[in-house]
């Protein structure tokens, strides 16, 4: 199931928020390690900045504060 989500920088402080979009790596063989890949990165610099993303079983988000 695919879900659309919105992330907002809802805080008036000077720190920005970065949202990374990651895709889950596929296992090429039974003994191979899975490696996830970063697809994109969006920085929300200003209060009230908002961005939309898609998440599903093979894609996830990481939200980080940028100093």
């Amino acid at each position: 199931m695919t879900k659309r989500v919105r992330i907002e920088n809802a805080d008036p402080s000077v720190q920005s928020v970065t949202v990374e979009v990651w895709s889950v790596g596929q296992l090429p063989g039974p003994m191979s390690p899975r490696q996830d890949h970063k697809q994109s990165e969006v920085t929300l610099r200003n209060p009230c900045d908002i961005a939309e993303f898609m998440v599903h079983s093979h894609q996830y988000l990481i939200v980080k504060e940028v100093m």
Side-chain angles (χ1 to χ4, degrees), residues 28-40:
M31 300 300 287
S32 300
R34 185 179 82 185
Q35 188 170 3
D36 295 353
H37 300 281
K38 182 165 62 169
Q39 293 181 344
S40 64

Side-chain angles (χ1 to χ4, degrees), residues 8-50:
E8 178 184 5
N9 183 4
D11 189 79
S13 68
V14 296
Q15 284 84 10
S16 299
V17 173
T18 296
V19 182
E20 297 176 352
V21 179
W22 286 80
S23 63
V24 175
Q26 301 299 315
L27 293 172
M31 300 300 287
S32 300
R34 185 179 82 185
Q35 188 170 3
D36 295 353
H37 300 281
K38 182 165 62 169
Q39 293 181 344
S40 64
E41 183 176 301
V42 175
T43 301
L44 306 174
R45 290 177 169 63
N46 303 305
C48 298
D49 279 356
I50 193 167

